[in-house]
């Protein structure tokens, strides 16, 4: 029995190693926008991006079960370097996000759309959205909440 599980694990590991996660490398970012702004000597980089959101949380209020609601978290690159949003993830599959890809120049603005699907949910809902960027610190957490009521 243990040998069977070992073989399954070995096959899954081999598939993961050889598939390379499906990344063909065609969408690579320029290396000059991905950097570590802090050096071992304590010096800070001159051009650093900074992401500033108008709001870091949004309350949808009362939502009828099954309703799909969206909110745009507006942001601005208030730093002096090019901003890149590398990934956005949510704490639940009921929350989907859409964000601008590519480089956002200093002074540039954008919006991250958060869509919450209240299907099969009820009561108070609190969800988090994690935004990964090339800023320092590289993680920003946004929050949405709603009170889902049955019709």
């Amino acid at each position: 029995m243990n040998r069977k599980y070992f073989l399954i694990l070995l096959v899954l590991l081999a598939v993961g190693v050889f598939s390379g996660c499906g990344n063909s490398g065609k969408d690579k970012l320029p290396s000059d926008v991905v950097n570590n702004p802090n050096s071992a000597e304590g010096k800070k980089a001159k051009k650093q991006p900074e992401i500033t959101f108008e709001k870091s949380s949004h309350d949808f209020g009362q939502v009828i079960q099954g309703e799909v609601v969206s909110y745009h978290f507006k942001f601005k690159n208030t730093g002096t370097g090019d901003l890149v949003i590398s990934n956005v993830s949510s704490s639940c599959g009921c929350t989907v996000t859409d964000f601008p890809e590519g480089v956002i120049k200093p002074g540039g603005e954008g919006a991250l759309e958060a869509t919450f699907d209240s299907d099969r949910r009820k009561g108070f809902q609190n969800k988090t959205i994690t935004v990964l960027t090339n800023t320092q610190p590289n993680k920003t957490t946004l929050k949405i909440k709603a009170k889902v009521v049955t019709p």
Side-chain angles (χ1 to χ4, degrees):
M1 187 65 108
N2 285 339
R3 186 175 181 174
K4 181 180 178 181
Y5 289 121
F6 177 75
L7 287 174
I8 291 171
L9 180 64
L10 188 62
V11 168
L12 290 174
L13 183 63
V15 168
V17 168
F18 293 113
S19 70
C21 299
N23 187 1
S24 65
K26 66 180 178 181
D27 297 325
K28 289 186 178 181
L29 295 171
S31 62
D32 60 337
V33 298
V34 180
N35 60 32
N36 184 356
N38 298 322
S39 71
E41 298 170 348
K43 295 178 183 176
K44 297 226 180 217
K46 293 180 182 177
K47 292 190 173 192
Q48 283 185 238
E50 186 174 333
I51 190 165
T52 304
F53 284 91
E54 282 184 3
K55 288 174 51 176
S56 62
S57 65
H58 179 72
D59 185 352
F60 288 111
Q62 191 167 305
V63 177
I64 298 172
Q65 188 177 45
E67 190 176 359
V68 178
V69 291
S70 294
Y71 180 75
H72 288 82
F73 286 97
K74 295 179 184 176
F75 65 87
K76 184 174 186 175
N77 179 359
T78 54
T80 56
D82 291 345
L83 171 69
V84 176
I85 299 174
S86 58
N87 190 29
V88 178
S89 60
S90 62
S91 61
C92 177
C94 62
T95 304
V96 179
T97 56
D98 187 28
F99 61 95
E101 296 180 11
V103 175
I104 299 160
K105 297 289 184 187
E109 298 179 351
L112 181 147
E113 181 181 17
T115 303
F116 172 68
D117 185 353
S118 65
D119 189 37
R120 294 188 308 238
R121 309 268 173 217
K122 63 181 173 178
F124 289 101
Q125 302 291 311
N126 292 296
K127 308 299 177 193
T128 59
I129 299 163
T130 304
V131 183
L132 294 176
T133 61
N134 64 332
T135 60
Q136 195 67 8
N138 69 335
K139 220 183 263 189
T140 303
T141 302
L142 305 172
K143 296 178 182 182
I144 59 171
K145 63 182 181 176
K147 180 180 180 184
V148 180
V149 295
T150 54

